[in-house]
């Protein structure tokens, strides 16, 4: 069962990465316009998002 | 991408149409400094409705000189424009208007990004969700039969994750519970906080003694579920608040002040002092109470006093803040500051009236008031019972904690918000905004509906009586004159002519004579449109229908045609009142307009009880009298004179064309033209109340089944986790039943109404 020494931190780390990614995306305003984001994906001549 | 037909839905019907664009001075006043030396202003653009609009707007604004950055938002239908603070604001409003997306300034600072509470709730929710998933992974291994060493390791890890999470995510509940306890009340958060803390402490003790059961997973999951309910509740209110804030602001932000040395300057409303000279052009609202120095015009006082007919003013007349100047520029002397104006007087009345309403306790808190003592005494009794029966205090404490956890109001915490959020969503789809869930609860109790007349039951705009029976040539000639005026009767004539189509007549040398009418030259003769005693040499020749406002068209002083007007009923007014009566509600009209107009209208919509010429404090008194007689009042109104009554009523609703303070005082705001929003909202509120009660019943049933097992000591952490998730899922599933009902009303509401068509519909560029 010594594999647990690796597995537990890995599972915990993966979860933490997900949490961090969510908090970052929220802070950078990516949830401000969900309807707009769904439409903007169809623009093919736009410059990169900010 | 094609821009499909603009929907009428969320466009404020009345004012935004011919309202003036925000000037560059107003943009500057409304803007705020952001990073990098930029200033930012948020403009509400109700006509945004698809991805193509976003692109059109951002492109157009990108080409405007001075714009550093422009970002359109489809969700909130708004545009954020940034420019360097060293230069004057760009002409963004004009650019937007030019491409068929007229903007207006908004009240709401929010726009989502500055909502601190929401950010905190979502972060707490994310952390709790992350933690409960991790702890559950450990718990499942424990339940699956991990050996004692591994079990202790997993318990230790769970505790290490749970402690910071309970401290961070649980703050929301501890704070609210503490606030309630300090004021000698209880709310739902008190049993939650006690249950979570005790369960955690007990599990910690068991873990250190190598015990088999720990409730770390249950405590964290509880916090997670409850935070879902709390966040949904907050999102609903924030959305309604920002949507109401985005409606066109009707009170001016400032006015042009003329100084004695001949210069003039645009001054914010707060900076206007008594004695200053203010210039108010036609189409502007009067910023503060004042006296007319020079000029003659007509004022639309419908939003202020409820009078439907415009009032003529000349030098020496006093004018109230908020009235709309219709025909000619006026020079006013301010007689009060904004804080002392008529508007402020209404706000004072409103604050006094609102004190009565705060006594209402929300359903969830009332349930908690009953629930907490029962749960806590059950836990205490089982502790005492087990302690006396077995003498084993540890065993007794474990059972007591199991009782607290199993009864912890997980389902109750979700029971109310989830139903209200779904109800709010349904109402939102129909253009009705709910300020908070409490409004839905109070609406379900209402038994008497009180309507204002002007602007609520009617559109507040006159309409030509029998346009088909008027002489087409006369109407065409009259509308050729009328198109040059903002007077409501002129607008009605133009609308009648537009509806009929037909030939256009050309006239020359048009002049508007404020307070009288319009004059022009036509084929060498002088034609006049306006008051009979001005337009005609012999005014006695007109026999207008009694008590209807009337304009005449004359040619060299001889009568050509007389036009009589009546107030246009709001779409669905009759149906709405009939539906309310069907439900057994009392209906009344309280209006500031004169008796004849009110009686006429009350008769046509079938309302027996009405009062006319009633002042704001009179409306307030009537609502108080109704409340004292044991009625729960539901006020629907739009004017400044209705605002105190909106605040005083048990529950209230305002159209989106209402004055700003009225919209803020109301629990509901409806954005579409039809008054059928009123019975529709009522139907949803009643159904919401029934579902909430069902959810309460389910939660009580669940407790009644689970509690005996907990007291008997049969509940393991696994059983607690299953029971908790199970009951929450049932409650959510039951709430979802609110969707897809009340089809009848939906059909009625979605019927497109011609007058609700957005003003830019014809100027929309094809893409």
């Amino acid at each position: 069962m010594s594999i647990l020494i690796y597995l537990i931190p890995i599972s915990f780390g993966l979860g933490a990465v997900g949490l961090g990614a969510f908090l970052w995306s929220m802070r950078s305003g990516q949830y401000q316009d969900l309807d707009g984001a769904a439409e903007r994906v169809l623009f093919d001549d736009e410059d990169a998002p900010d | 991408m094609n821009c499909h037909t603009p929907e009428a839905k969320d466009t404020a019907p009345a004012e935004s149409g011919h309202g003036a664009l925000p000037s560059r001075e107003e943009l500057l006043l409304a803007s705020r400094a952001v990073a990098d030396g930029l200033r930012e202003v948020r403009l509400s653009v109700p006509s945004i409705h698809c991805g193509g609009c976003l692109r059109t707007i951002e492109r157009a604004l990108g080409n405007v000189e001075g714009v550093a950055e422009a970002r359109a938002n489809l969700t909130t239908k708004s545009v954020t424009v940034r420019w360097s603070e060293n230069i004057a604001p760009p002409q963004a409003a004009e650019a937007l208007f030019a491409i068929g997306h007229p903007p207006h300034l908004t009240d709401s600072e929010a726009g989502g990004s500055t909502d601190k509470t929401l950010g905190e709730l979502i972060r707490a929710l994310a952390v709790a969700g992350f933690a409960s998933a991790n702890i559950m992974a450990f718990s499942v291994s424990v339940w699956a039969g991990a050996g004692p060493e591994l079990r202790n390791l997993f318990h230790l890890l769970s505790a290490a994750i749970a402690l910071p999470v309970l401290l961070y995510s649980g703050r929301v509940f501890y704070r609210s519970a503490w606030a309630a306890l300090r004021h000698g009340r209880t709310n739902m958060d008190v049993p939650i906080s006690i249950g979570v803390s005790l369960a955690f402490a007990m599990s910690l003790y068991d873990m250190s003694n190598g015990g088999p059961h720990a409730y770390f997973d249950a405590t964290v999951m509880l916090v997670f579920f409850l935070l879902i309910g709390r966040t949904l509740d907050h999102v609903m209110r924030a959305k309604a608040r920002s949507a109401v804030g985005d409606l066109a602001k009707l009170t001016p932000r400032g006015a042009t002040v003329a100084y004695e040395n001949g210069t003039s300057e645009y001054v914010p409303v707060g900076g206007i002092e008594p004695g200053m000279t203010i210039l108010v052009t036609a189409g502007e609202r009067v910023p503060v109470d004042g006296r007319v120095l020079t000029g003659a015009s007509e004022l639309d006082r419908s939003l202020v006093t409820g009078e439907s007919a415009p009032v003529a003013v000349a030098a020496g007349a006093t004018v109230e803040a908020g009235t709309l100047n219709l025909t000619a520029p006026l020079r006013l002397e301010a007689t009060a500051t904004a804080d002392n104006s008529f508007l402020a007087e209404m706000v004072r009345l409103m604050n006094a009236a609102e004190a009565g309403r705060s006594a209402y306790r929300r359903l969830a808190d009332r349930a908690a008031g009953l629930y907490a003592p029962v749960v806590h005494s059950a836990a205490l009794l089982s502790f005492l019972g087990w302690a006396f029966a077995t003498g084993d205090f540890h065993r007794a404490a474990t059972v007591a904690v199991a009782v607290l956890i199993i009864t912890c109001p997980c389902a109750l915490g979700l029971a109310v918000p989830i139903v209200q959020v779904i109800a709010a969503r349904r109402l939102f789809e129909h253009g009705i905004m709910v300020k908070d869930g409490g409004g839905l609860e109070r609406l379900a109790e209402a038994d008497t509906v009180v309507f204002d007349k002007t602007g609520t039951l009617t559109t507040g705009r006159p309409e030509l009586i029998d346009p088909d029976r008027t002489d087409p040539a006369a109407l065409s000639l009259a509308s050729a004159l009328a198109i040059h005026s903002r007077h409501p009767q002129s607008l009605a004539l133009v609308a009648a002519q537009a509806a009929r189509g037909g030939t256009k007549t050309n006239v020359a040398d048009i002049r508007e004579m404020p307070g009288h009418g319009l004059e022009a030259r036509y084929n060498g003769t002088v034609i006049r449109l306006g008051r009979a005693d001005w337009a005609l040499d012999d005014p006695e020749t007109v026999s207008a229908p009694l008590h209807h406002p009337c304009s005449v068209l004359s040619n060299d002083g001889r009568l050509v045609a007389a036009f009589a007007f009546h107030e246009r009923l709001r779409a669905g007014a009759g149906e709405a009142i009939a539906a309310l009566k069907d439900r057994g509600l009392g209906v009344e009209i309280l209006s500031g307009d004169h008796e004849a107009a009110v009686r006429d209208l009350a008769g046509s919509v079938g309302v027996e009880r009405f009062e006319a010429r009633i002042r704001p404090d009179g409306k307030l008194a009537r609502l108080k009298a109704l409340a004292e007689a044991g009625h729960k009042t539901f006020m629907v109104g739009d004017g400044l004179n209705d605002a105190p009554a909106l605040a005083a009523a048990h529950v209230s609703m305002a159209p989106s064309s209402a004055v700003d303070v009225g919209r803020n005082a109301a629990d509901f705001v409806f954005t579409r033209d039809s008054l059928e929003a009123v019975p529709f909202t009522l139907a949803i509120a009643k159904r919401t109340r029934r579902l909430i009660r069902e959810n309460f019943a389910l939660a009580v049933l669940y407790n009644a089944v689970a509690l005996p097992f907990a007291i008997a000591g049969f509940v393991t952490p696994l059983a607690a986790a299953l029971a908790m998730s199970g009951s929450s899922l049932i409650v959510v599933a039951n709430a979802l039943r609110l969707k897809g009902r009340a089809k009848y009303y939906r059909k009625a509401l979605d019927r497109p109404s011609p007058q609700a068509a957005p003003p830019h519909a014809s100027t929309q560029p094809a893409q």
Side-chain angles (χ1 to χ4, degrees):
Chain A
M1 288 303 242
S2 59
I3 187 79
L4 282 181
I5 292 174
Y6 303 107
L7 285 183
I8 289 174
I10 287 174
S11 81
F12 192 81
L14 284 174
V17 167
L19 178 67
F22 173 73
L23 291 178
W24 165 77
S25 62
M26 198 178 85
R27 190 171 308 224
S28 65
Q30 299 188 31
Y31 296 101
Q32 301 247 312
D33 184 13
L34 293 176
D35 297 342
E39 298 277 350
R40 281 175 199 275
V41 75
L42 298 172
F43 300 176
D44 43 19
D45 55 335
E46 283 291 289
D47 47 359
D50 42 48
Chain B
M1 199 179 318
N2 282 324
C3 233
H4 45 88
T5 344
E7 291 154 275
K9 288 184 188 175
D10 299 314
T11 319
E15 212 62 39
S16 62
H18 23 85
L21 287 174
S23 65
R24 291 167 85 175
E25 289 90 349
E26 281 183 300
L27 285 189
L28 191 61
L29 279 181
S31 68
R32 63 192 180 96
V34 288
D36 307 330
L38 294 175
R39 290 194 77 81
E40 175 184 285
V41 72
R42 198 169 154 264
L43 292 165
S44 173
V45 186
S47 55
I48 297 182
H49 60 273
C50 69
C53 303
L54 298 182
R55 196 163 46 165
T56 319
I57 286 174
E58 284 173 4
R59 273 212 197 121
L61 285 178
N63 294 332
V64 174
E65 197 189 326
V67 172
E69 210 179 302
R71 182 92 178 163
N73 189 317
L74 180 62
T75 316
T76 58
K77 298 187 192 299
S78 64
V79 179
T80 310
V81 182
R82 291 181 171 188
W83 67 92
S84 166
E85 59 190 0
N86 306 321
I87 59 168
Q91 291 189 309
E94 291 78 1
L96 284 170
F97 185 76
I99 55 168
H101 290 287
H104 59 77
L105 286 168
T106 71
D107 227 357
S108 64
E109 292 296 310
S113 56
T114 51
D115 190 346
K116 290 214 173 60
T117 323
L118 181 64
E120 190 187 321
L121 277 171
I122 290 188
R123 276 193 297 275
L125 182 66
V127 170
F130 158 74
S132 55
N134 270 288
I135 293 182
M136 200 49 79
F138 298 129
S139 296
V140 169
S141 335
V142 173
W143 298 332
E149 298 86 36
L150 213 48
R151 189 179 66 208
N152 279 343
L153 172 69
F154 285 164
H155 279 170
L156 192 68
L157 284 168
S158 302
I161 300 173
L163 179 65
V165 170
L166 290 183
L167 290 180
Y168 179 73
S169 301
R171 276 182 311 170
V172 181
F173 303 106
Y174 312 143
R175 260 203 313 249
S176 143
W178 174 240
L181 284 178
R182 218 176 33 197
H183 293 102
R185 293 179 286 118
T186 71
N187 60 13
M188 212 49 131
D189 296 332
V190 176
I192 291 170
S193 304
I194 294 179
V196 166
S197 326
L198 278 181
F200 184 76
M202 189 68 206
S203 306
L204 216 53
Y205 175 80
D206 272 0
M207 183 191 76
S208 56
N209 289 328
H213 297 315
Y215 287 102
F216 298 117
D217 56 337
T219 52
V220 174
M221 200 163 73
L222 194 67
V223 168
F224 178 54
F225 279 159
L226 290 169
L227 275 172
I228 294 178
R230 204 56 57 96
T231 310
L232 284 177
D233 193 46
H234 186 85
V235 167
M236 170 182 102
R237 274 181 294 167
K239 191 169 177 186
R241 256 203 314 274
S242 75
V244 171
D246 281 353
L247 296 169
K249 205 169 152 61
L250 295 187
T251 44
R253 276 163 200 269
T256 310
V257 170
Y259 295 108
E260 292 189 1
N261 59 12
T263 58
S264 61
E265 188 191 6
Y266 192 82
V267 177
V269 165
I272 298 176
E273 301 282 341
M276 282 184 167
T277 306
I278 317 166
L279 305 175
V280 181
T281 59
E284 269 187 350
R285 284 188 188 270
V286 176
V288 295
D289 290 356
R291 206 179 58 243
V292 179
L293 292 175
T294 52
S297 178
E298 276 149 303
L299 295 181
D300 177 354
R301 302 173 74 201
S302 59
L303 270 182
V304 177
T305 60
E307 287 165 64
S308 49
V311 180
V313 290
T318 55
V319 294
E320 289 115 333
T323 48
L324 178 67
N325 184 15
L326 286 172
T327 38
L330 286 175
R331 210 177 165 87
L332 304 176
E333 182 190 354
T335 55
T337 58
D339 294 343
N340 287 319
S341 284
F342 183 72
L343 172 72
E345 169 70 11
M346 290 302 108
V347 172
R348 198 185 54 73
L349 274 177
M350 273 164 65
N351 289 341
E354 240 163 14
R357 195 195 270 178
S358 58
Y360 179 81
R361 288 184 73 206
R362 294 190 50 174
L363 270 174
D365 288 338
R366 273 187 282 172
L370 293 172
Y371 182 84
V374 172
V375 168
H376 288 157
S377 45
L380 187 65
L381 283 178
S382 31
F383 175 78
L384 293 177
W386 277 88
F388 278 118
T390 62
D392 180 353
F393 281 94
H394 177 254
R395 184 74 204 273
T398 311
V399 170
V401 165
V403 169
L404 277 182
I405 288 190
I406 209 90
T407 56
C408 219
C410 204
L412 277 186
L414 282 172
V416 177
I418 195 95
V419 180
Q420 288 178 343
V421 165
I422 292 175
R425 173 89 207 164
R426 286 221 44 199
L427 290 173
F428 204 83
E429 284 164 8
H430 294 94
I432 301 158
M433 296 173 236
V434 188
K435 294 286 196 50
D436 76 315
L440 279 167
E441 294 173 14
R442 279 181 273 119
L443 180 56
E445 296 177 346
D447 61 4
T448 307
V449 191
V450 179
F451 284 100
D452 166 50
K453 181 183 75 74
T454 318
T456 306
L457 284 174
T458 68
T459 55
R461 282 163 284 172
E463 183 182 39
L464 186 61
I465 299 177
D466 283 337
D468 298 329
R469 279 175 45 197
T470 50
D471 172 20
L475 182 59
S476 167
L477 188 59
S479 72
L481 275 164
I483 203 156
H484 296 276
S485 163
R486 303 177 71 100
H487 194 284
Q489 292 183 2
S490 302
L491 297 176
L493 282 174
V494 174
Q497 169 70 9
R500 176 182 292 174
T503 52
K504 222 175 142 224
T505 316
N506 285 320
V507 291
D509 294 342
I510 296 154
R511 284 190 303 157
E512 182 152 25
M513 317 289 265
H516 297 295
L518 295 142
E519 190 183 87
R521 301 179 65 76
Y522 173 66
N523 289 348
T525 58
V526 174
I527 55 166
R528 283 176 166 183
L529 174 70
R531 295 163 61 124
D533 52 6
W534 167 74
L536 301 178
D537 294 338
D538 181 13
E540 303 304 313
T541 49
V542 189
S543 61
L546 226 56
H547 65 247
H548 281 298
C550 172
S551 283
V552 299
L553 180 68
S554 70
N555 191 334
D556 281 340
R558 286 185 314 278
L559 179 72
V560 178
F563 304 102
F565 300 88
H566 63 170
E567 278 187 274
R568 190 166 64 196
L569 222 55
R570 195 179 266 277
E575 292 87 337
I577 285 173
L580 290 171
K581 282 182 164 175
D582 274 355
R583 285 184 166 266
L585 281 86
V587 180
E588 292 189 17
I589 297 175
L590 298 180
S591 175
D593 209 355
H594 57 89
E595 175 114 20
V598 183
R599 177 175 298 122
D600 237 31
L601 182 108
S604 67
V605 293
V607 175
E608 291 85 28
R609 240 208 89 91
F610 62 86
E611 282 180 57
R613 284 231 167 272
I614 192 163
R615 297 203 28 90
D617 43 1
K619 294 197 180 193
L620 211 52
R622 175 66 192 149
L623 284 172
K624 284 206 177 109
L626 280 169
E628 270 157 26
H631 289 291
K632 303 282 189 199
T633 48
F634 176 21
M635 174 81 201
V636 188
D638 76 319
L640 205 48
N641 59 334
D642 299 312
L646 288 171
H650 190 59
V651 57
S652 51
M653 190 167 191
S656 59
S657 54
V659 286
D660 313 343
V661 282
R663 287 191 308 234
N664 292 335
D667 296 295
F668 301 89
V669 174
F670 62 100
T671 53
R672 298 192 208 167
D673 244 12
S674 173
L675 204 61
E676 282 184 89
V678 175
F680 177 75
T681 314
L682 190 73
I684 292 277
K686 296 235 177 202
R687 192 155 164 74
T688 304
R689 180 171 67 172
R690 214 175 73 224
L691 280 171
I692 289 176
R693 287 185 172 164
E694 282 173 18
N695 272 352
F696 276 148
L698 282 173
V700 168
L701 187 73
Y702 150 79
N703 278 325
V705 172
L707 200 58
F709 288 98
I711 292 175
F714 291 135
V715 170
T716 59
L718 172 60
L722 287 179
M724 259 167 41
S725 342
S727 67
S728 301
L729 285 179
I730 290 174
V731 168
V732 172
N734 188 44
L736 288 173
R737 293 200 305 138
L738 190 62
K739 292 194 159 187
R741 288 290 181 98
K743 290 217 172 77
Y744 158 72
Y745 288 113
R746 180 190 308 173
K747 228 167 52 196
L749 275 174
D750 287 350
R751 205 186 304 134
S753 51
Q755 63 270 47
H760 66 278
S762 53
T763 55
Q764 187 85 25
Q767 287 170 37

